[in-house]
Amino acid sequence: MNKQELITTTVVFLIIFGLAFSFTSWLKIQNTTLYDFKIVSQTPAVDTLSQIFHQNRSLILREELTAKPSRQNSAIASMAAELVYASTAMHVPVYVYATVNGVPVNETCNLNNSNCGAPDIIVRPEASSNPCNCIILNTNKTMEISGSIDFMLQSAANIRKVVYLAASPLETQAPVNKSE
């Protein structure tokens, strides 16, 4: 092997190693699990969650419900109630409103009403055969809790742990992976 082949092989190896390392880092961010919730995020999950719950203002939560009483509505209400309970305990006020087919249930809700405006948190059902059962963290500091009815009913209490971690004072947060 001559000198040029050796240099070319080394450069190719370094490029492949760099791409593999970048892909592994990206994949690790994409596949975080936090208290039984799969987290889908382009950024580190705990940091993004903290940003959502440390906005120094009240948060708005939107529940996406069906028109008639259903098990689905109960699952969404359970998840939202646990999230609001934990947020209140951490001194982060959360205002909740519901929509049915995208239309707010409360007739006084409109975009000028700060309690029914653009949501910071959305709790919505997913009826697909392979539901996400996850928390989706968006780059605009919002989150969506999406999943099957059974998942929401079984995991509602775990959302408290997520909120306690996210809303805890920043100086007390330790950089740990919470996949219990």
Side-chain angles (χ1 to χ4, degrees):
M1 195 182 264
N2 67 26
K3 188 175 181 181
Q4 183 152 357
E5 288 175 335
L6 183 62
I7 291 172
T8 303
T9 304
T10 303
V11 168
V12 169
F13 174 77
L14 289 174
I15 290 171
I16 291 172
F17 178 77
L19 289 173
F21 179 76
S22 296
F23 179 73
T24 303
S25 298
W26 175 81
L27 193 59
K28 193 173 184 180
I29 288 173
Q30 302 303 309
N31 294 318
T32 302
T33 300
L34 191 63
Y35 301 115
D36 294 332
F37 286 95
K38 177 182 167 192
I39 307 292
V40 178
S41 177
Q42 297 296 318
T43 57
V46 174
D47 294 343
T48 305
L49 283 166
S50 291
Q51 290 173 359
I52 292 168
F53 284 90
H54 287 97
Q55 295 186 41
N56 293 324
R57 62 175 177 78
S58 57
L59 301 177
I60 300 172
L61 184 147
R62 182 178 73 209
E63 299 174 317
E64 295 185 358
L65 305 175
T66 62
K68 296 181 179 180
S70 66
R71 189 168 181 257
Q72 175 179 309
N73 287 353
S74 297
I76 293 168
S78 281
M79 186 67 72
E82 293 290 349
L83 189 143
V84 170
Y85 174 83
S87 297
T88 302
M90 297 302 291
H91 306 291
V92 178
V94 177
Y95 295 101
V96 180
Y97 74 99
T99 63
V100 174
N101 298 325
V103 178
V105 174
N106 186 342
E107 295 160 358
T108 62
C109 278
N110 57 52
L111 292 178
N112 296 324
N113 182 338
S114 62
N115 296 341
C116 302
D120 300 294
I121 304 164
I122 299 170
V123 181
R124 64 181 172 84
E126 195 172 337
S128 69
S129 61
N130 189 17
C132 177
N133 294 336
C134 62
I135 297 174
I136 301 166
L137 301 174
N138 300 307
T139 55
N140 62 349
K141 296 183 186 173
T142 62
M143 68 186 266
E144 298 176 38
I145 302 169
S146 176
S148 68
I149 295 167
D150 290 335
F151 171 78
M152 286 195 183
L153 288 170
Q154 293 167 1
S155 301
N158 286 342
I159 198 68
R160 283 188 193 186
K161 296 176 190 175
V162 173
V163 172
Y164 292 150
L165 174 68
S168 64
L170 295 173
E171 59 275 359
T172 63
Q173 290 182 359
V176 291
N177 186 3
K178 300 287 185 184
S179 46
E180 295 177 353

